[in-house]
Amino acid sequence: MSVSFVRDKPLDQLNSQNLYFANFMNKTLLLALIIFLKIQPTKAQDFKEDHDHHFLVLFADKGLRYVGMDSLPNHFTKEALERRERFDIPLDSFDLPVTKAYLSNISVEGVDVRYPTRWLNGAVVTVKDPEIARKLKVKFFVRKVVYIGSTKEKEKKNKSSELKSDKELKAYSPAGFTEIDYGATEMQIKMLKVDRWHKFGQLGTGVRIAVFDAGFYKYDRLPALKHLSEESRILGTYDIVKFDGTVAEDDAHGMHVLGCIAGFEPGTYVGTAPASDYYLFRTEDSHSETLLEELNWIRAAEMADSL
């Protein structure tokens, strides 16, 4: 696979004195310019004391100096690189991670960096006082600070949890399934003509599917989905709303969606691709409706793309 070169040295190799001096000079210049700018205030009612306020901080670049992309493929699984090559999507500067120096620099007191986004070249942050987020605008490497909504303060988040690692893939043998009793899903399966593929034993073997939703309530207890755990077909789960690896205790919508795809209980309920392997991401908070959920979706898409 061909990889282009965009940069030759990461910003985090710069010493702290250089970073501090550059930040000080640019801050001074920008503070002078702010006098002549009309700053659009956010509505006061948006800023409630018992709420977490979320902002998207966009950076001007991926670092002050150019860095090579030689090591970029190391951030992707073999399957992800094969998919990129198959669909002619080369790795480029959008795939470069957000520089650690920028993330470290905005991690000041009162700013909780939820996660970075390499495609948008920025980070989603949460604050109690919106003014703290606004002040990030004066940093020389910050291009824009965008308000993306507020949510009621939740229980303390655990950001130490990571996506569960891949499990060994197991072969799925649909021998004898020339005819399947679909049960409740017969109409939708035949409407989509998926039954024709199933008759040839094509039940999704070797395909990885990432599902983004508001939760997968008790999916691991459903008879029609028990084969997913028995055959190690759940490769990873991640809750981007609460920053943990469990998704089975929240909203049920994702469970229904997963059932339509992965269900396999002949005579009762059979989905379209029961032999595929799955990553489950919770990106939606069913208790709110904010732009933060769109950023959660992008975060999941970036993670899934690398898997």
Short mmCIF file of all heavy atoms in Angstrom, two decimals, residues 254-280:
data_model
loop_
_atom_site.label_atom_id
_atom_site.label_comp_id
_atom_site.label_asym_id
_atom_site.label_seq_id
_atom_site.Cartn_x
_atom_site.Cartn_y
_atom_site.Cartn_z
N GLY A 254 -29.84 -0.14 20.05
CA GLY A 254 -28.73 -0.84 19.41
C GLY A 254 -28.88 -2.35 19.47
O GLY A 254 -28.45 -3.07 18.57
N MET A 255 -29.50 -2.84 20.53
CA MET A 255 -29.76 -4.28 20.65
C MET A 255 -30.69 -4.74 19.54
O MET A 255 -30.49 -5.79 18.92
CB MET A 255 -30.35 -4.59 22.02
CG MET A 255 -30.75 -6.05 22.22
SD MET A 255 -32.51 -6.32 21.83
CE MET A 255 -33.28 -5.48 23.21
N HIS A 256 -31.73 -3.92 19.25
CA HIS A 256 -32.66 -4.27 18.17
C HIS A 256 -31.95 -4.26 16.82
O HIS A 256 -32.15 -5.16 15.98
CB HIS A 256 -33.84 -3.29 18.15
CG HIS A 256 -34.71 -3.37 19.36
ND1 HIS A 256 -35.37 -4.51 19.74
CD2 HIS A 256 -35.03 -2.44 20.29
CE1 HIS A 256 -36.07 -4.30 20.84
NE2 HIS A 256 -35.86 -3.04 21.21
N VAL A 257 -31.12 -3.24 16.60
CA VAL A 257 -30.37 -3.14 15.34
C VAL A 257 -29.42 -4.32 15.19
O VAL A 257 -29.34 -4.94 14.12
CB VAL A 257 -29.60 -1.80 15.28
CG1 VAL A 257 -28.66 -1.78 14.07
CG2 VAL A 257 -30.56 -0.63 15.22
N LEU A 258 -28.70 -4.64 16.26
CA LEU A 258 -27.78 -5.77 16.22
C LEU A 258 -28.54 -7.06 15.94
O LEU A 258 -28.05 -7.92 15.20
CB LEU A 258 -27.03 -5.87 17.55
CG LEU A 258 -25.98 -6.98 17.66
CD1 LEU A 258 -24.86 -6.76 16.65
CD2 LEU A 258 -25.42 -7.07 19.08
N GLY A 259 -29.74 -7.20 16.49
CA GLY A 259 -30.54 -8.39 16.23
C GLY A 259 -30.91 -8.54 14.77
O GLY A 259 -30.89 -9.64 14.22
N CYS A 260 -31.24 -7.40 14.12
CA CYS A 260 -31.59 -7.44 12.69
C CYS A 260 -30.41 -7.93 11.85
O CYS A 260 -30.61 -8.56 10.80
CB CYS A 260 -32.00 -6.05 12.21
SG CYS A 260 -33.57 -5.47 12.88
N ILE A 261 -29.21 -7.65 12.30
CA ILE A 261 -28.03 -8.03 11.53
C ILE A 261 -27.49 -9.39 11.96
O ILE A 261 -27.22 -10.26 11.13
CB ILE A 261 -26.90 -6.99 11.70
CG1 ILE A 261 -27.41 -5.57 11.47
CG2 ILE A 261 -25.74 -7.28 10.75
CD1 ILE A 261 -26.42 -4.49 11.84
N ALA A 262 -27.33 -9.57 13.28
CA ALA A 262 -26.56 -10.71 13.79
C ALA A 262 -27.40 -11.83 14.39
O ALA A 262 -26.86 -12.88 14.73
CB ALA A 262 -25.57 -10.21 14.84
N GLY A 263 -28.70 -11.65 14.53
CA GLY A 263 -29.53 -12.65 15.18
C GLY A 263 -29.45 -14.02 14.51
O GLY A 263 -29.40 -14.13 13.29
N PHE A 264 -29.42 -15.09 15.33
CA PHE A 264 -29.42 -16.43 14.75
C PHE A 264 -30.06 -17.42 15.73
O PHE A 264 -29.41 -17.98 16.61
CB PHE A 264 -28.00 -16.89 14.41
CG PHE A 264 -27.98 -18.15 13.58
CD1 PHE A 264 -28.31 -18.11 12.23
CD2 PHE A 264 -27.67 -19.36 14.15
CE1 PHE A 264 -28.32 -19.27 11.46
CE2 PHE A 264 -27.66 -20.53 13.40
CZ PHE A 264 -27.99 -20.48 12.05
N GLU A 265 -31.36 -17.60 15.56
CA GLU A 265 -32.11 -18.62 16.28
C GLU A 265 -33.16 -19.18 15.31
O GLU A 265 -34.30 -18.72 15.27
CB GLU A 265 -32.79 -18.03 17.52
CG GLU A 265 -33.41 -19.09 18.41
CD GLU A 265 -34.06 -18.51 19.65
OE1 GLU A 265 -34.16 -17.27 19.76
OE2 GLU A 265 -34.49 -19.29 20.51
N PRO A 266 -32.74 -20.13 14.47
CA PRO A 266 -33.64 -20.65 13.43
C PRO A 266 -35.00 -21.06 14.01
O PRO A 266 -35.08 -21.67 15.06
CB PRO A 266 -32.87 -21.87 12.90
CG PRO A 266 -31.43 -21.53 13.14
CD PRO A 266 -31.42 -20.78 14.43
N GLY A 267 -36.04 -20.66 13.26
CA GLY A 267 -37.40 -20.92 13.70
C GLY A 267 -37.98 -19.78 14.51
O GLY A 267 -39.19 -19.69 14.68
N THR A 268 -37.11 -18.90 15.00
CA THR A 268 -37.57 -17.76 15.81
C THR A 268 -37.13 -16.43 15.21
O THR A 268 -37.94 -15.55 14.95
CB THR A 268 -37.03 -17.87 17.25
OG1 THR A 268 -37.47 -19.11 17.82
CG2 THR A 268 -37.57 -16.72 18.11
N TYR A 269 -35.83 -16.29 14.97
CA TYR A 269 -35.31 -14.99 14.55
C TYR A 269 -33.93 -15.19 13.94
O TYR A 269 -33.02 -15.68 14.61
CB TYR A 269 -35.21 -14.07 15.77
CG TYR A 269 -35.05 -12.60 15.46
CD1 TYR A 269 -36.14 -11.74 15.50
CD2 TYR A 269 -33.80 -12.07 15.12
CE1 TYR A 269 -36.00 -10.39 15.23
CE2 TYR A 269 -33.65 -10.73 14.83
CZ TYR A 269 -34.76 -9.89 14.90
OH TYR A 269 -34.62 -8.56 14.62
N VAL A 270 -33.75 -14.79 12.68
CA VAL A 270 -32.45 -14.90 12.00
C VAL A 270 -32.15 -13.58 11.30
O VAL A 270 -32.99 -13.05 10.56
CB VAL A 270 -32.45 -16.06 10.98
CG1 VAL A 270 -31.10 -16.10 10.24
CG2 VAL A 270 -32.74 -17.39 11.66
N GLY A 271 -30.97 -13.03 11.54
CA GLY A 271 -30.57 -11.77 10.92
C GLY A 271 -29.89 -11.97 9.58
O GLY A 271 -29.80 -13.09 9.06
N THR A 272 -29.39 -10.89 9.02
CA THR A 272 -28.81 -10.93 7.68
C THR A 272 -27.39 -11.45 7.67
O THR A 272 -26.95 -12.05 6.69
CB THR A 272 -28.83 -9.53 7.06
OG1 THR A 272 -28.19 -8.62 7.96
CG2 THR A 272 -30.25 -9.05 6.80
N ALA A 273 -26.60 -11.21 8.73
CA ALA A 273 -25.18 -11.60 8.74
C ALA A 273 -24.79 -12.17 10.10
O ALA A 273 -23.94 -11.61 10.81
CB ALA A 273 -24.31 -10.39 8.41
N PRO A 274 -25.35 -13.30 10.49
CA PRO A 274 -25.06 -13.86 11.82
C PRO A 274 -23.64 -14.39 11.97
O PRO A 274 -23.19 -14.60 13.09
CB PRO A 274 -26.08 -14.99 11.94
CG PRO A 274 -26.39 -15.38 10.54
CD PRO A 274 -26.34 -14.10 9.76
N ALA A 275 -22.92 -14.60 10.86
CA ALA A 275 -21.56 -15.15 10.95
C ALA A 275 -20.49 -14.07 10.89
O ALA A 275 -19.30 -14.38 10.85
CB ALA A 275 -21.33 -16.16 9.84
N SER A 276 -20.90 -12.80 10.88
CA SER A 276 -19.92 -11.71 10.87
C SER A 276 -19.41 -11.47 12.28
O SER A 276 -19.93 -11.99 13.27
CB SER A 276 -20.55 -10.43 10.31
OG SER A 276 -20.83 -10.56 8.93
N ASP A 277 -18.37 -10.65 12.37
CA ASP A 277 -17.79 -10.27 13.67
C ASP A 277 -18.08 -8.80 13.91
O ASP A 277 -18.14 -7.99 12.97
CB ASP A 277 -16.29 -10.52 13.66
CG ASP A 277 -15.97 -11.98 13.35
OD1 ASP A 277 -16.27 -12.84 14.19
OD2 ASP A 277 -15.44 -12.25 12.24
N TYR A 278 -18.23 -8.43 15.19
CA TYR A 278 -18.79 -7.12 15.50
C TYR A 278 -17.98 -6.33 16.53
O TYR A 278 -17.42 -6.88 17.48
CB TYR A 278 -20.22 -7.30 16.03
CG TYR A 278 -21.16 -7.83 15.00
CD1 TYR A 278 -21.31 -9.20 14.81
CD2 TYR A 278 -21.89 -6.98 14.17
CE1 TYR A 278 -22.15 -9.70 13.83
CE2 TYR A 278 -22.73 -7.47 13.19
CZ TYR A 278 -22.86 -8.83 13.02
OH TYR A 278 -23.68 -9.33 12.04
N TYR A 279 -17.95 -5.01 16.29
CA TYR A 279 -17.54 -4.03 17.28
C TYR A 279 -18.79 -3.22 17.63
O TYR A 279 -19.52 -2.78 16.73
CB TYR A 279 -16.48 -3.08 16.73
CG TYR A 279 -15.12 -3.70 16.54
CD1 TYR A 279 -14.68 -4.12 15.29
CD2 TYR A 279 -14.25 -3.85 17.63
CE1 TYR A 279 -13.44 -4.68 15.12
CE2 TYR A 279 -12.99 -4.41 17.46
CZ TYR A 279 -12.60 -4.82 16.21
OH TYR A 279 -11.35 -5.38 16.05
N LEU A 280 -19.03 -3.03 18.91
CA LEU A 280 -20.22 -2.29 19.36
C LEU A 280 -19.77 -0.99 20.03
O LEU A 280 -19.01 -1.01 21.00
CB LEU A 280 -21.03 -3.13 20.34
CG LEU A 280 -21.43 -4.54 19.86
CD1 LEU A 280 -22.25 -5.24 20.93
CD2 LEU A 280 -22.19 -4.48 18.53
#
